[in-house]
Amino acid sequence: MTAVKPFSLAKSRRTIQWMVVIGTLVIGLRHIMPGEASRGGSFDSFCAFGGIETILPFLFTGHTLKSTNLLNFSVQLGTLGVSLVAGRAFCGWLCGLGAIQDFITQWTRKFIGEKRHIRGRQSTAIFPLRLPSILDHPLRYAKYLVLTVVLIASLFMAFPPLRDFCPVRAVFGLHMTALLWVTLAVFLAGSVLVERFWCKYLCPLGATLAIFNKLSPVRLVLDNHHCNGCGRCDIECSMGIADVPHHLDHPECVRCMECLNTCAVNGSLILIYEKEKK
Amino acid sequence: MKIHPRYYPAIIITAYVIFLLIGILLGFGPERGGAGHGRSALMQFTAALEGLT
């Protein structure tokens, strides 16, 4: 008789993240093939943030920005659907850039000397760093500024405002310009230095989805009788949220479920579906 | 209602696919080329209101 392997949420997430990365690379590859560029729209028309970039021009003029098309709204609707149900789970599970950043963190730790990361134990690798809160806290508001600038700029531009600096195009687009090479270098360096650098400080899509953490019915709750305050979840939190058990609906949480996965005491963190918060 | 964590990946993927399909069924589907389309949503809304009054 063969033993059934226990379910691992972390392995499921890694598998899904790899599938997203490969899928996005295939879309990027398809668009550099001769004669394929215009089929189904450009690479940008598959972008989850493209729908937000082009919504205001579409509402006011009836035209989407160049390089985007109506498919962007469907992709955006899918993203909002996940967020309505489970908060920022798109960022933690289905975003290609989030996946790449998680992989970079893992590889950086290995490369710098941590042979095997023990879950719930502070990493011995120097990088990625955790910025001191005096710097980290104000920088987290930068993404809301980026979102505001993008929304205003979209009214005056022909192409999506972020197009020339978009890290998704830099990583997956395979159609590089000088600006995209710079973006790629900044993105890679940032991700090596700070875990989930882009998500924490600059991602305008994350800024849009943050509010859904307060509204979504599928979420984690804490059972105070079980939690012993060991802090393992704080160590594993890739978004660097302090005191995770008491901030389970934090707007910065990407619902990656690493806290649940790491929790040493069964029943401390419980995944629930609840329409109205108590 | 408690949910077993094993169903979490299925929940988010299903939500994504369902809402994506709703968008495509509403007419926001892939198309050739880039920018396009006729009247803006606001113009259509105004026209609809004018039609009612």
Side-chain angles (χ1 to χ4, degrees):
Chain A
M1 220 171 82
T2 52
V4 180
K5 278 188 180 176
F7 172 76
S8 164
L9 205 56
K11 273 186 187 169
S12 301
R13 192 165 81 93
R14 277 285 176 272
T15 310
I16 291 171
Q17 285 185 316
W18 271 113
M19 285 161 66
V20 170
V21 166
I22 292 167
T24 317
L25 272 173
V26 168
I27 295 174
L29 195 64
R30 215 198 75 165
H31 281 86
I32 59 165
M33 297 289 183
E36 292 285 324
S38 64
R39 288 182 66 187
S42 66
F43 180 75
D44 298 357
S45 60
F46 293 84
C47 174
F49 186 62
I52 292 171
E53 282 182 290
T54 201
I55 186 84
L56 292 181
F58 182 70
L59 284 175
F60 288 114
T61 67
H63 293 272
T64 55
L65 294 173
K66 283 181 185 171
S67 87
T68 63
N69 69 33
L70 294 181
L71 182 63
N72 284 99
F73 295 126
S74 293
V75 179
Q76 187 60 54
L77 203 61
T79 310
L80 291 177
V82 175
S83 310
L84 273 173
V85 174
R88 276 179 74 180
F90 178 86
C91 306
W93 290 72
L94 302 176
C95 174
L97 272 191
I100 292 285
Q101 287 173 93
D102 282 348
F103 299 155
I104 289 175
T105 297
Q106 217 177 8
W107 295 333
T108 305
R109 280 178 179 160
K110 258 188 192 160
F111 188 73
I112 283 178
E114 191 185 52
K115 287 272 178 265
R116 192 168 174 273
H117 177 66
I118 298 167
R119 194 169 279 282
R121 192 177 292 178
Q122 197 74 52
S123 171
T124 52
I126 315 166
F127 294 115
L129 299 165
R130 279 207 177 169
L131 293 184
S133 58
I134 193 165
L135 203 61
D136 176 77
H137 194 68
L139 276 177
R140 293 208 186 216
Y141 290 100
K143 56 178 173 288
Y144 298 98
L145 185 67
V146 173
L147 175 65
T148 312
V149 170
V150 165
L151 283 174
I152 295 169
S154 70
L155 290 167
F156 306 100
M157 295 181 80
F159 283 94
L162 266 188
R163 190 171 189 260
D164 291 334
F165 317 94
C166 175
V168 179
R169 288 186 73 221
V171 175
F172 300 105
L174 308 173
H175 196 88
M176 301 299 276
T177 61
L179 270 176
L180 285 178
W181 278 115
V182 174
T183 306
L184 182 65
V186 171
F187 173 76
L188 291 178
S191 305
V192 166
L193 293 174
V194 180
E195 195 171 4
R196 282 210 174 226
F197 159 80
W198 174 258
C199 309
K200 280 178 184 168
Y201 306 126
L202 293 171
C203 181
L205 182 61
T208 314
L209 303 181
I211 185 75
F212 290 99
N213 277 359
K214 303 281 180 195
L215 312 170
S216 63
V218 175
R219 63 179 193 276
L220 286 172
V221 288
L222 172 72
D223 184 342
N224 277 315
H225 301 295
H226 284 87
C227 179
N228 60 10
C230 65
R232 284 167 61 102
C233 45
D234 293 358
I235 291 167
E236 284 305 315
C237 181
S238 60
M239 290 300 281
I241 297 168
D243 191 14
V244 170
H246 296 101
H247 295 100
L248 293 168
D249 289 342
H250 198 286
E252 292 290 309
C253 173
V254 292
R255 301 283 168 97
C256 61
M257 298 286 151
E258 287 296 328
C259 48
L260 177 66
N261 221 19
T262 307
C263 186
V265 186
N266 247 345
S268 295
L269 296 175
I270 308 160
L271 186 63
I272 60 156
Y273 171 86
E274 195 174 61
K275 269 191 174 171
E276 282 170 29
K277 286 187 182 182
K278 284 172 187 169
Chain B
M1 183 178 74
K2 274 188 191 179
I3 304 171
H4 193 287
R6 78 164 67 233
Y7 299 120
Y8 189 72
I11 290 170
I12 55 176
I13 290 173
T14 310
Y16 186 79
V17 172
I18 288 175
F19 279 85
L20 180 76
L21 288 177
I22 289 173
I24 290 172
L25 290 174
L26 285 173
F28 299 119
E31 57 184 38
R32 282 171 185 273
H37 295 102
R39 301 164 76 192
S40 74
L42 287 183
M43 283 159 69
Q44 287 178 27
F45 184 65
T46 317
L49 280 181
E50 279 171 0
L52 284 174
T53 53

